[in-house]
Amino acid sequence: MPSRVLARSLSTSQMAYNESSQKLNTRRTAASSPVEIPDEGPSTSLRTRICEIFKDAQRSTAGHRKLATSLRKVQEACCYEVPNAQGKNQDQFGEDDFNVEVVRCMIRLLCVKKSEGVGDRIVNFLGVFLRRASEKDIALIPQEMVEETQTLPETPSTRLTSHILSILLPLLGSKEKVVRFRATQLIAHIINSLDSVDDEYYQLIRTGLLKRVRDKEPTIRVQAVLGLGRLAGNETEEQQEDPASDNDDAASGLLGKLLEVLQNDSSADVRRSLLLNLPLTPTTLPFLLERARDVDAAIRRALYSRLLPALGDFRHLSLSMREKLLRWGLRDRDETVRKATGKLFSERWIEDCATSAIPAQTKPAAKATSPSMDGLLELLERIDVVNSGAGSGIATEAMRDFWFGRPDYRHAVSFDDAFWGRLTPESVFVARSFNDFCNDETASFRLLAEEKMPEVTKFAFFLQRYTNELINCMRYNNAMTEAEEQEDTVEKEFIVEQLLHIAKALDYSDEIGRRKMFSLLRETLAVEELPEDITKLVVDVLRGICGSEAAGEREFCGIVLEAIAEVHDNVAPDEPMADNEDESFHSARSELSDSAPMKARSGGSTNAANDDTSEIVEAKAVREIMINIKCLHIAQCMLENVEGGLQQNIHLVTMLNNLVVPAALADENLTLFLHCFTKGHDALQVTALHILCDISITHSSLVTAEMEDPALHRSIYKIFSKGLKASQAPEVQSAATTALCKLMLMSVVQDEDLLKQLVGLFFDPATKDNAAVTQALSYFLPAFCHSMRENMEKMAAVAAAVIHAHVNLADELDEEKRVVSATTVSNMLLDWTDTRKLVARDVTAVACDEASDKEVKGTNGDVHLTLAKTLLERAMTCGCPKEERKILVNMVGKICVATDSSIEKLRAVTDLAAEALDAKIATDTTTRNALNKVHQALRNALGEAASVGRSIEDPNADKTGVGHRADVVDASDIEETLLKLEEDKAVKQGQDRLSEELLLDEHENL
């Protein structure tokens, strides 16, 4: 890292460039170059030699080292050789002459555009020369001098660097973007090429580059962060050496500003440059790793292909971060990112584990280690295979890429009897992933799986052994009390699950092995303690063993139903069988009535049943619930594997009548689900909301206003209202929002209070972090309003209340919290109630073109008139604040006034607008003009209706002509209304004129 040289003395070379404001030497340069080039004077042999070197350097980068050596010789001749005693001749030059000539060539570079490759080559050459010259100068300094002073003295190279920086730093703020780019590029390249920079210029460089980080040109920002990344690493080292120093910390210093740029800069090149140049520290690592979710694929690929391999041992990362990196990379939408992640896992991470598993004396020097099963098992343990390998977890995808990219491990792995005799979660997952990979690929890999995996009969014995261990452990835990320590069954469950995944892909052509596996799975399925995930896998394997034909499906259904009956018999042996039940299948129905206990088989046990305590009755009820849940889950797993019709399979008909239908009467338990939401935790509340939504959609009468139980009706609405307010539980709030949106779109729920709450939730800044709520409402609100006119009318009815609630919310929140502006809210409400955007074509939205006799979509503004009426009524109330009144009136000024609207509504809104003008609710000019404009538009619409003399049909009238007759509005009534409005306006104008004259006279008297 570039450290700061403490020597402060300046040589004469730093003052050599004092004539930067002189005239340019040629007219062409003066016309095109934004950088002033001083008078160069006569040409010398030194200039010729240096120009030849720079000329050769801009051709190719291949000879830069050789050219840097040549330029160093020239510098040594000027700086270290003593002139003749007779004086300086034409071939002898000093250090100042050399520095001026180098800067002269550098200045020409500042006007070269970025697209010219010669500019980048000269920048690279200058960095190579300064680094080589600095190394040579340091080698000439006696070591005793450095140890004595603890500083590096000034050298010709440091003076040349200071001279160059003194020229470049003022140009960082140039108006020409080309000059800013080249100056920033040169400074960044210099500080990345050298080990030390003068302390005086260090602060100037830091300040200048920080300003360029905010430059409008992305290319300049890239060069600025390249230089600041080196400086940030230097400051980080200083803070580690001296934690009590006065330097800014990472949050507010240079490193914090660069991390902010890394997160927020709009240019992908800037973010990528920072990703690859920031120092790797505990402070910067989380910010660097989150670039795995960057929008640019090149940045994500650079993270997995360059940063993470250079990071070192991956085991230093936390477990959650390892899992996230694998999941983000392997499931990335860009193929190159997925390949880079797979290569990282199968080459870099496995080598870290395999190397640590080998003793230090036998580690290879500089080549990849041989396949190590211990290293592979440790790698799987490091990514928590028990959680990430379940089902189709990320560990499954990672191992698929691993087996594909490491053929040495494919051929080295061995699954002998000793392997199957001491299975661990990691080892069984190796076997499962290997088996899945081989069966998904070509035939050659399938042959490899057949060669390494055991035959079906032997595998069935292994499966039986580990299944028995799991069942015995679970039964032991069930027998233990809560105070006693129980055994952990997670790993045992995982082992059995992986064995069942392997069993799904085995070849069952061997009849002996097939029968053994069939009987084992049949017995396992009837075990009541079997976990649900294992139950599903057992049913899936049974389906594959029975075959895909119709006869195999019937056999499969019969076997599963027998297992269900056996579960019922094993769990509740004392439960009687109904007279009308099939003897081969016991129904899982249970009467959970609190008043009717279970009957005994014989009359002699009646007295014992009466002596049961409430705890025993409750335990029996819970036992019956567990019976239903277990049987229904097995039935669900069976139905997921059935493809035939219901009527053609007698087993499915039996199950439907005796198991599914009795348990499906869930609408009777609606009160139970309400109680679960009220008293349950977050996960239970989410489940209860889902159930309430499904039941309400299926049985819509339960939540309609005409239901028989109004208390239950109010309780359901109250549950949804509480769910919408659950801001502390985002999952509950999103579940309530989604459920209510579905019910309102299907017109099951039509409550205006809940609609108002949904609209308020959409504009509430507290929900901005809940993406599920925001996304659901963003779709629901326009879809709800534009789908039906009735929905628009509901929105118009609650609009004034929404504005009032939003204004109050804005007043209560702090200024730091960003609230959606009231103008935005009003514009969206106007859009949602605009009938011109109505999708459903109803009678009031369709007109008839008499010329072509075709239906055309007309414009009916009744909804906006309803909205205007609601807004004006709210604005003219005494308790309406001034700011809210202004918003309401401006909103009224934007309504769509259509001539096809109802004359009654036109007349009512016109009267309200005139009354609002008389009341002078519009205090400022803008609001007053908006109100006058809408009032004039309403009067014009009334006038047009009067001239046409059209009749308005009542929307509730019978369209066939039978029943209520259409109400015909006389044109004379309309003309009379208009004349009255004109008279009222003339009287008002006369009163205003008289008031002005009185005020004028009073002023003159004074």
mmCIF file of all heavy atoms in Angstrom, residues 713-733:
data_model
loop_
_atom_site.group_PDB
_atom_site.id
_atom_site.type_symbol
_atom_site.label_atom_id
_atom_site.label_comp_id
_atom_site.label_asym_id
_atom_site.label_seq_id
_atom_site.Cartn_x
_atom_site.Cartn_y
_atom_site.Cartn_z
ATOM 1 N N HIS A 713 -70.100 -12.946 11.229
ATOM 2 C CA HIS A 713 -69.775 -12.069 10.089
ATOM 3 C C HIS A 713 -68.832 -10.958 10.531
ATOM 4 O O HIS A 713 -67.820 -10.679 9.885
ATOM 5 C CB HIS A 713 -71.075 -11.510 9.511
ATOM 6 C CG HIS A 713 -70.878 -10.470 8.469
ATOM 7 N ND1 HIS A 713 -70.919 -9.124 8.766
ATOM 8 C CD2 HIS A 713 -70.643 -10.567 7.149
ATOM 9 C CE1 HIS A 713 -70.705 -8.426 7.666
ATOM 10 N NE2 HIS A 713 -70.555 -9.288 6.666
ATOM 11 N N ARG A 714 -69.141 -10.319 11.643
ATOM 12 C CA ARG A 714 -68.276 -9.251 12.147
ATOM 13 C C ARG A 714 -66.921 -9.801 12.592
ATOM 14 O O ARG A 714 -65.895 -9.140 12.435
ATOM 15 C CB ARG A 714 -68.970 -8.541 13.308
ATOM 16 C CG ARG A 714 -70.179 -7.711 12.889
ATOM 17 C CD ARG A 714 -70.647 -6.812 14.024
ATOM 18 N NE ARG A 714 -71.033 -7.577 15.205
ATOM 19 C CZ ARG A 714 -72.261 -8.006 15.440
ATOM 20 N NH1 ARG A 714 -73.237 -7.749 14.559
ATOM 21 N NH2 ARG A 714 -72.550 -8.687 16.533
ATOM 22 N N SER A 715 -66.918 -11.004 13.152
ATOM 23 C CA SER A 715 -65.653 -11.589 13.610
ATOM 24 C C SER A 715 -64.710 -11.865 12.441
ATOM 25 O O SER A 715 -63.494 -11.645 12.541
ATOM 26 C CB SER A 715 -65.920 -12.889 14.375
ATOM 27 O OG SER A 715 -66.716 -12.636 15.522
ATOM 28 N N ILE A 716 -65.261 -12.338 11.330
ATOM 29 C CA ILE A 716 -64.419 -12.602 10.147
ATOM 30 C C ILE A 716 -63.807 -11.309 9.629
ATOM 31 O O ILE A 716 -62.602 -11.231 9.332
ATOM 32 C CB ILE A 716 -65.251 -13.310 9.064
ATOM 33 C CG1 ILE A 716 -65.706 -14.692 9.552
ATOM 34 C CG2 ILE A 716 -64.451 -13.437 7.776
ATOM 35 C CD1 ILE A 716 -66.633 -15.400 8.608
ATOM 36 N N TYR A 717 -64.628 -10.250 9.514
ATOM 37 C CA TYR A 717 -64.109 -8.969 9.039
ATOM 38 C C TYR A 717 -63.080 -8.402 10.015
ATOM 39 O O TYR A 717 -62.084 -7.792 9.616
ATOM 40 C CB TYR A 717 -65.259 -7.979 8.856
ATOM 41 C CG TYR A 717 -66.051 -8.188 7.588
ATOM 42 C CD1 TYR A 717 -65.830 -9.313 6.790
ATOM 43 C CD2 TYR A 717 -67.020 -7.284 7.191
ATOM 44 C CE1 TYR A 717 -66.558 -9.521 5.638
ATOM 45 C CE2 TYR A 717 -67.753 -7.473 6.026
ATOM 46 C CZ TYR A 717 -67.519 -8.601 5.257
ATOM 47 O OH TYR A 717 -68.237 -8.800 4.108
ATOM 48 N N LYS A 718 -63.306 -8.626 11.303
ATOM 49 C CA LYS A 718 -62.374 -8.127 12.304
ATOM 50 C C LYS A 718 -61.034 -8.847 12.215
ATOM 51 O O LYS A 718 -59.967 -8.238 12.418
ATOM 52 C CB LYS A 718 -62.988 -8.307 13.699
ATOM 53 C CG LYS A 718 -62.159 -7.688 14.814
ATOM 54 C CD LYS A 718 -62.861 -7.846 16.156
ATOM 55 C CE LYS A 718 -62.023 -7.231 17.287
ATOM 56 N NZ LYS A 718 -62.693 -7.384 18.603
ATOM 57 N N ILE A 719 -61.067 -10.130 11.889
ATOM 58 C CA ILE A 719 -59.830 -10.891 11.745
ATOM 59 C C ILE A 719 -59.004 -10.329 10.604
ATOM 60 O O ILE A 719 -57.787 -10.115 10.718
ATOM 61 C CB ILE A 719 -60.147 -12.379 11.509
ATOM 62 C CG1 ILE A 719 -60.674 -13.024 12.791
ATOM 63 C CG2 ILE A 719 -58.914 -13.124 11.005
ATOM 64 C CD1 ILE A 719 -59.689 -13.023 13.933
ATOM 65 N N PHE A 720 -59.652 -10.049 9.463
ATOM 66 C CA PHE A 720 -58.919 -9.488 8.329
ATOM 67 C C PHE A 720 -58.398 -8.092 8.655
ATOM 68 O O PHE A 720 -57.293 -7.715 8.254
ATOM 69 C CB PHE A 720 -59.813 -9.446 7.087
ATOM 70 C CG PHE A 720 -60.011 -10.777 6.438
ATOM 71 C CD1 PHE A 720 -61.250 -11.382 6.407
ATOM 72 C CD2 PHE A 720 -58.955 -11.440 5.861
ATOM 73 C CE1 PHE A 720 -61.438 -12.614 5.810
ATOM 74 C CE2 PHE A 720 -59.110 -12.680 5.253
ATOM 75 C CZ PHE A 720 -60.362 -13.262 5.236
ATOM 76 N N SER A 721 -59.165 -7.315 9.378
ATOM 77 C CA SER A 721 -58.724 -5.977 9.754
ATOM 78 C C SER A 721 -57.502 -6.042 10.666
ATOM 79 O O SER A 721 -56.541 -5.275 10.499
ATOM 80 C CB SER A 721 -59.865 -5.230 10.442
ATOM 81 O OG SER A 721 -59.460 -3.939 10.851
ATOM 82 N N LYS A 722 -57.500 -6.958 11.627
ATOM 83 C CA LYS A 722 -56.344 -7.112 12.514
ATOM 84 C C LYS A 722 -55.128 -7.601 11.734
ATOM 85 O O LYS A 722 -53.995 -7.192 12.016
ATOM 86 C CB LYS A 722 -56.677 -8.085 13.644
ATOM 87 C CG LYS A 722 -57.673 -7.544 14.660
ATOM 88 C CD LYS A 722 -58.000 -8.571 15.718
ATOM 89 C CE LYS A 722 -56.777 -8.979 16.510
ATOM 90 N NZ LYS A 722 -57.107 -9.949 17.584
ATOM 91 N N GLY A 723 -55.367 -8.458 10.759
ATOM 92 C CA GLY A 723 -54.248 -8.936 9.946
ATOM 93 C C GLY A 723 -53.609 -7.829 9.138
ATOM 94 O O GLY A 723 -52.384 -7.783 8.981
ATOM 95 N N LEU A 724 -54.410 -6.906 8.615
ATOM 96 C CA LEU A 724 -53.860 -5.782 7.848
ATOM 97 C C LEU A 724 -53.046 -4.854 8.732
ATOM 98 O O LEU A 724 -52.104 -4.193 8.256
ATOM 99 C CB LEU A 724 -54.986 -5.002 7.172
ATOM 100 C CG LEU A 724 -55.797 -5.736 6.104
ATOM 101 C CD1 LEU A 724 -56.895 -4.834 5.566
ATOM 102 C CD2 LEU A 724 -54.895 -6.203 4.965
ATOM 103 N N LYS A 725 -53.362 -4.773 10.012
ATOM 104 C CA LYS A 725 -52.647 -3.882 10.930
ATOM 105 C C LYS A 725 -51.419 -4.540 11.555
ATOM 106 O O LYS A 725 -50.706 -3.876 12.312
ATOM 107 C CB LYS A 725 -53.587 -3.433 12.047
ATOM 108 C CG LYS A 725 -54.780 -2.619 11.562
ATOM 109 C CD LYS A 725 -55.722 -2.291 12.714
ATOM 110 C CE LYS A 725 -56.949 -1.522 12.226
ATOM 111 N NZ LYS A 725 -57.898 -1.245 13.334
ATOM 112 N N ALA A 726 -51.159 -5.805 11.247
ATOM 113 C CA ALA A 726 -50.051 -6.537 11.884
ATOM 114 C C ALA A 726 -48.731 -6.170 11.222
ATOM 115 O O ALA A 726 -48.086 -6.988 10.554
ATOM 116 C CB ALA A 726 -50.298 -8.042 11.820
ATOM 117 N N SER A 727 -48.314 -4.916 11.383
ATOM 118 C CA SER A 727 -47.068 -4.453 10.765
ATOM 119 C C SER A 727 -45.843 -5.100 11.399
ATOM 120 O O SER A 727 -44.789 -5.180 10.759
ATOM 121 C CB SER A 727 -46.973 -2.930 10.872
ATOM 122 O OG SER A 727 -47.035 -2.519 12.224
ATOM 123 N N GLN A 728 -45.946 -5.552 12.647
ATOM 124 C CA GLN A 728 -44.820 -6.196 13.300
ATOM 125 C C GLN A 728 -44.604 -7.625 12.815
ATOM 126 O O GLN A 728 -43.556 -8.202 13.070
ATOM 127 C CB GLN A 728 -45.037 -6.202 14.821
ATOM 128 C CG GLN A 728 -45.217 -4.828 15.435
ATOM 129 C CD GLN A 728 -44.016 -3.936 15.206
ATOM 130 O OE1 GLN A 728 -42.883 -4.410 15.183
ATOM 131 N NE2 GLN A 728 -44.251 -2.638 15.028
ATOM 132 N N ALA A 729 -45.579 -8.194 12.139
ATOM 133 C CA ALA A 729 -45.468 -9.550 11.579
ATOM 134 C C ALA A 729 -45.715 -9.453 10.073
ATOM 135 O O ALA A 729 -46.867 -9.551 9.624
ATOM 136 C CB ALA A 729 -46.465 -10.497 12.239
ATOM 137 N N PRO A 730 -44.686 -9.210 9.269
ATOM 138 C CA PRO A 730 -44.880 -9.002 7.825
ATOM 139 C C PRO A 730 -45.560 -10.163 7.123
ATOM 140 O O PRO A 730 -46.353 -9.948 6.208
ATOM 141 C CB PRO A 730 -43.444 -8.794 7.309
ATOM 142 C CG PRO A 730 -42.659 -8.375 8.513
ATOM 143 C CD PRO A 730 -43.283 -9.071 9.670
ATOM 144 N N GLU A 731 -45.283 -11.402 7.550
ATOM 145 C CA GLU A 731 -45.894 -12.552 6.895
ATOM 146 C C GLU A 731 -47.401 -12.586 7.145
ATOM 147 O O GLU A 731 -48.183 -12.901 6.250
ATOM 148 C CB GLU A 731 -45.239 -13.838 7.397
ATOM 149 C CG GLU A 731 -43.761 -13.958 7.021
ATOM 150 C CD GLU A 731 -43.153 -15.251 7.521
ATOM 151 O OE1 GLU A 731 -43.861 -15.983 8.230
ATOM 152 O OE2 GLU A 731 -41.978 -15.510 7.196
ATOM 153 N N VAL A 732 -47.805 -12.258 8.357
ATOM 154 C CA VAL A 732 -49.239 -12.216 8.661
ATOM 155 C C VAL A 732 -49.910 -11.099 7.877
ATOM 156 O O VAL A 732 -51.000 -11.275 7.314
ATOM 157 C CB VAL A 732 -49.443 -12.016 10.177
ATOM 158 C CG1 VAL A 732 -50.923 -11.900 10.508
ATOM 159 C CG2 VAL A 732 -48.822 -13.169 10.951
ATOM 160 N N GLN A 733 -49.275 -9.942 7.799
ATOM 161 C CA GLN A 733 -49.851 -8.819 7.066
ATOM 162 C C GLN A 733 -49.977 -9.133 5.584
ATOM 163 O O GLN A 733 -51.000 -8.822 4.958
ATOM 164 C CB GLN A 733 -48.976 -7.576 7.267
ATOM 165 C CG GLN A 733 -49.598 -6.295 6.752
ATOM 166 C CD GLN A 733 -48.692 -5.108 7.011
ATOM 167 O OE1 GLN A 733 -47.480 -5.178 6.826
ATOM 168 N NE2 GLN A 733 -49.275 -4.003 7.436
#
